[in-house]
Structure formats: C-alpha cells, structure tokens
Amino acid sequence: MDDVRASSAYVASRSSHVIVDSGGIEKLVSTIDAIPKVEWDFEGIHYFDNGPLTVQYLFVLDALNFCFWPDKDLTYDHLAAGLKAALQNDKSAFDADRLQKYTGPELRELLGWPRPLPLEEERVRLLHEVGFELERSFEGKASNLVESCGKSAVNLVALVTRHFPGFRDHSVYKGRQVFLYKRAQIFAADLWGAFRGQGYGEFKDISSITIMADYIVPAVLRQFGVLKYSPKLASTIEASGEIGPGTEEEVELRACSVHAVEKMRELISFKSGRQVLSVELDLWLWASGVQCPSLQHHRTLSIYY
C-alpha cells in the first residue's frame, strides 16, 4: 500500500481543484477523543456464516460494489442484502461456474431489482471474470485466494489486482501513475471486519490498508472542513454534474481523501499514543456519510467505486 500512500501524497502536493486543509485536520482531530467504534455490519445486511461461503459472498459483493448513484433508489444496502438473500435461498448461487454464466436480467433477479442496474454490462462482465479466474487459479473458491496470502492484507491486495483486472483501480495524473485500489482494499477490510480479525480475517498488517476512496468519504471530509474544493468543482458537484473518470478533478477528489485521512490518522495516533487504523477511520467516515441523506457527493461513472 506504499504505492497508494505515495501516489496520493503526490497528487495532494500538486492539486488545484481539491486542497487538503491542515488547519481543518487539526480542528477536527481536536474534537475527537477516540474514534467512534462502528461495527462492520452495523446495518445488519451482510451474509455471515463464519466460513468459506462468507468469503465467497464478500468477494462477489466487492466485485460489484460500485456506481449506485445513477439509480436514485439503489444503494449499497440493496446490493449487500440482495446477495445475502440470494445465497440464503441457494448456497450454490456464487459457485465459480455459475458466476461465469449470469446475464443482466438474471443478476437483477438475484438482487430482486426491478430495472436495469447502472453499468449492468460491466457488472456482469466482472462477475464472469471473478468466476473464471477463481475456477482457473483457486479451485473456484475465494477462500483459497485468501489462504494463499499468508495472513497479509498487502499480499491479498496484490493477488487480487494481479489475477482480477477489474480490481486494478489506478489512473494517470500529470504524467504519474496513481494507485487507489478501493475494491481490492475493501475486500481485505471486509474480511477483517466480518471475521473480527480472526480466521479468514486475520491480517498481521491490517494497518497497511488505507481508506477506500469512493463518493462518500470526500464529501464527509469536505463537510468536516478537511477538504476544500475550487469554486468550479464545488458548483459542478452542487449542480449534480458528472465528473469524468480519470480527470484531474476526479483523481484529486479520491487521492486527496486518502492523503487527508493518513494525516488525520498520524495526528490522532500522536495525540492518543496508540495506533489508529485507516480502516477504522474509513468505516467511521463512511457510516457518518450514509446516515446524512442531504450529503452532496461527486458523480463519476466508474467500475472502481
């Protein structure tokens, strides 16, 4: 994850549309005695059986965890709960051979969704990719993928991005490659949260994971005064205008969020004298955002978040 931190710092040092406000970080951190503990499944929407099927569920979930906003009624909760219900109804629903055969209408039926999903063709393509590569390299089981990482979250992210192209979340910014790896990192974070750091969720280096740069976290950081937007970017977001994937504005929104939370983490750790995990900060910030219906976030059509 050093590449994620270093490339995000590079963007933050050169950004013009998004500014990380160090004063805003200090002000926010001064109000925090301890990071509020947010349970991984605080919504009660995820499948969990404490075994390999949960790992399979989480990998499918994180393969599809992107771009809900074009359908104003669709949220992450619908995806997580829909996949949970599908698995409870049919324990073979996410077998590798079946993942390779789903169509758009069948995915909708699986989720109980009445109309085409945003980026539906891409979602189906990614399901097929996951099924194919799990079958080819991991005997069809995401649990084998996890077991092969040697209890290292960094190794898991590297394995996922090596074997599954749909998880290779990076861009080029002012001539330099920027790595963000939102969905690969959230798979490690979900395992850690679901299994409470034990079994399939035991990672000796969970502190290496950064936040997962998405739509919600930048908006929450702006609300907290940690990020400042240029007038043009602010007006685009407030008018619900789209921001193109890979544009300077989009890369800055995501990379500056990563960098800002790393600075927050360092300051909180210094103040409290104890290690603070970026994954804990991410869950707290995300939970704060999803519970604020009026929060205005940026809109980008992307398979990465």
Side-chain angles (χ1 to χ4, degrees):
M1 297 301 95
D2 289 345
D3 286 341
V4 176
R5 288 182 170 85
S7 59
S8 293
Y10 173 86
V11 172
S13 69
R14 290 160 176 78
S15 61
S16 56
H17 307 282
V18 182
I19 302 300
V20 178
D21 188 329
S22 57
I25 291 174
E26 291 176 10
K27 185 176 179 181
L28 175 60
V29 169
S30 72
T31 68
I32 300 172
D33 293 321
I35 299 302
K37 287 292 181 186
V38 180
E39 289 295 321
W40 172 75
D41 191 29
F42 70 94
E43 317 99 321
I45 56 174
H46 297 95
Y47 179 87
F48 184 74
D49 69 351
N50 202 36
L53 201 54
T54 294
V55 182
Q56 197 86 353
Y57 163 81
L58 290 175
F59 197 44
V60 171
L61 172 66
D62 291 329
L64 300 175
N65 182 5
F66 60 86
C67 205
F68 303 101
W69 63 263
D71 187 325
K72 63 182 178 61
D73 298 320
L74 183 66
T75 67
Y76 169 79
D77 290 13
H78 292 109
L79 176 67
L83 293 176
K84 174 184 178 179
L87 198 53
Q88 288 173 327
N89 184 56
D90 179 359
K91 291 292 192 289
S92 68
F94 302 151
D95 285 1
D97 60 331
R98 292 186 61 183
L99 291 175
Q100 297 173 62
K101 297 172 184 172
Y102 281 115
T103 64
E106 286 170 343
L107 177 57
R108 274 178 253 155
E109 185 179 353
L110 205 67
L111 298 175
W113 198 247
R115 54 187 173 272
L117 297 157
L119 299 180
E120 184 171 276
E121 288 184 9
E122 283 297 280
R123 285 184 152 92
V124 169
R125 181 184 68 80
L126 292 170
L127 271 186
H128 293 177
E129 178 186 280
V130 164
F132 174 80
E133 187 59 21
L134 283 179
E135 186 171 67
R136 184 176 74 162
S137 299
F138 300 99
E139 298 178 357
K141 298 183 184 301
S143 56
N144 289 338
L145 166 66
V146 174
E147 287 174 346
S148 66
C149 79
K151 299 188 185 303
S152 166
V154 171
N155 288 350
L156 180 59
V157 171
L159 274 171
V160 168
T161 54
R162 184 185 311 147
H163 284 273
F164 302 90
F167 284 84
R168 294 174 190 163
D169 176 10
H170 42 76
S171 301
V172 175
Y173 177 84
K174 296 184 178 177
R176 176 164 169 172
Q177 195 166 16
V178 177
F179 304 90
L180 294 162
Y181 294 150
K182 183 254 183 179
R183 291 195 288 106
Q185 289 201 84
I186 209 170
F187 179 49
D190 280 343
L191 289 164
W192 179 77
F195 289 92
R196 298 177 179 269
Q198 303 296 316
Y200 291 112
E202 183 183 352
F203 300 110
K204 60 193 177 189
D205 56 358
I206 192 63
S207 61
S208 300
I209 296 294
T210 70
I211 65 154
M212 280 58 81
D214 62 359
Y215 300 99
I216 301 297
V217 172
V220 174
L221 291 173
R222 183 192 184 201
Q223 194 172 62
F224 284 160
V226 169
L227 295 184
K228 306 290 187 187
Y229 295 171
S230 68
K232 182 182 177 184
L233 177 59
S235 65
T236 299
I237 291 172
E238 287 157 12
S240 299
E242 283 191 36
I243 297 170
T247 59
E248 286 192 2
E249 292 90 338
E250 190 251 356
V251 176
E252 288 181 15
L253 281 161
R254 302 184 71 205
C256 287
S257 297
V258 172
H259 185 66
V261 175
E262 285 302 301
K263 293 301 176 188
M264 282 176 58
R265 180 186 59 77
E266 290 169 6
L267 190 54
I268 295 168
S269 296
F270 177 77
K271 271 186 58 183
S272 65
R274 71 173 189 87
Q275 183 186 51
V276 176
L277 300 177
S278 294
V279 67
E280 294 175 317
L281 284 167
D282 182 85
L283 188 54
W284 167 56
L285 291 166
W286 187 81
S288 300
V290 296
Q291 294 174 62
C292 179
S294 62
L295 191 72
Q296 287 188 297
H297 61 75
H298 73 282
R299 294 167 178 248
T300 296
L301 281 173
S302 173
I303 67 166
Y304 296 124
Y305 65 101

